[in-house]
Amino acid sequence: MSVTLRAAAVSDRGKVRDNNEDAVYAGARLIAVADGVGGGPSGEIASGIVIRELAKLEDSAGSLDEAIGAANQRLREAVRADADLEGMGTTLTAMLAVNEGLQLAHIGDSRAYLWRDGRLTQLSRDDTFVQGLVDQGIISATEARAHPQRALVTQAMHGSAIEPSFAPVTPRAGDRYLLCSDGLSDYVDDDTIERTITSSDDLEECARALVDLALAAGAPDNVTVVVAQPDL
Ligand code: MG
């Protein structure tokens, strides 16, 4: 018997962008957020391709690793079929129920957080230039938030070789999981997220409250949030 999730997703174009290049999935076995990049409509196309491919996991016994490989292949095929899509790509942060546990997969600068026992912990590690500086002790996490090159992503899905990171998560009753695009985490700090993610028993209301915080902060980017909890 596999773990099941209760999950709610909210995605908003934000207050500045003309389109929403984020894509999202929230099901009973899989939750996922993708933040597309590329000129014109291609960012939206890339995140859509990847989320549609990952969504097949909801009703299959496939692994995240295989699904990410297949999604990356779909990106490669799309660019081969239409040269205008050259350069498109997307982040991906996803959690899949596997037997009694959860598996996290991550590439890029979207994020996964765990709220447990009143504390918020970031589960994913940003694939960004500034995260590299933090890891080397050159700048602090606070300095990273204001760094001029904070948007520089070192790895995303573009159809070429990738090294996603994977981590198991052992679910516990009362956990809340948050997947979000950088449109949330760049503009709403972790302390505020920690307070808001349990502001209601209704997961949809929590997701909406988080997106509203990004909108109140000006929402220069698309903002996407999935709030989930295990049904144990
Ligand atoms: Mg973004």
Side-chain angles (χ1 to χ4, degrees), residues 110-123:
S110 299
R111 286 185 174 176
Y113 290 90
L114 163 68
W115 182 96
R116 178 177 284 172
D117 298 333
R119 293 291 304 273
L120 189 78
T121 316
Q122 189 179 331
L123 297 175

Side-chain angles (χ1 to χ4, degrees), residues 17 21-22 35-37 91 109-110 181-184 186-187 221-223:
R17 301 286 184 89
E21 300 191 330
D22 291 354
D35 180 348
V37 290
T91 71
D109 67 347
S110 299
S181 60
D182 62 344
L184 179 76
D186 278 358
Y187 307 102
D221 195 3
N222 309 139
V223 49

Side-chain angles (χ1 to χ4, degrees), residues 96-113:
L96 178 70
V98 181
N99 301 323
E100 302 297 304
L102 297 162
Q103 181 82 9
L104 172 68
H106 171 78
I107 181 164
D109 67 347
S110 299
R111 286 185 174 176
Y113 290 90

Side-chain angles (χ1 to χ4, degrees), residues 144-183:
R145 289 184 74 85
H147 196 282
Q149 284 174 295
R150 64 187 178 278
L152 190 59
V153 174
T154 51
Q155 201 184 197
M157 296 177 70
H158 287 283
S160 50
I162 46 170
E163 286 182 34
S165 46
F166 297 93
V169 177
T170 304
R172 226 193 260 173
D175 280 354
R176 289 232 169 147
Y177 310 114
L178 168 67
L179 305 186
C180 65
S181 60
D182 62 344

Side-chain angles (χ1 to χ4, degrees), residues 61-80:
S63 73
L64 272 173
D65 197 10
E66 289 164 351
I68 290 170
N72 205 32
Q73 172 72 21
R74 295 286 99 75
L75 291 178
R76 191 156 51 232
E77 289 163 0
V79 171
R80 213 175 276 154

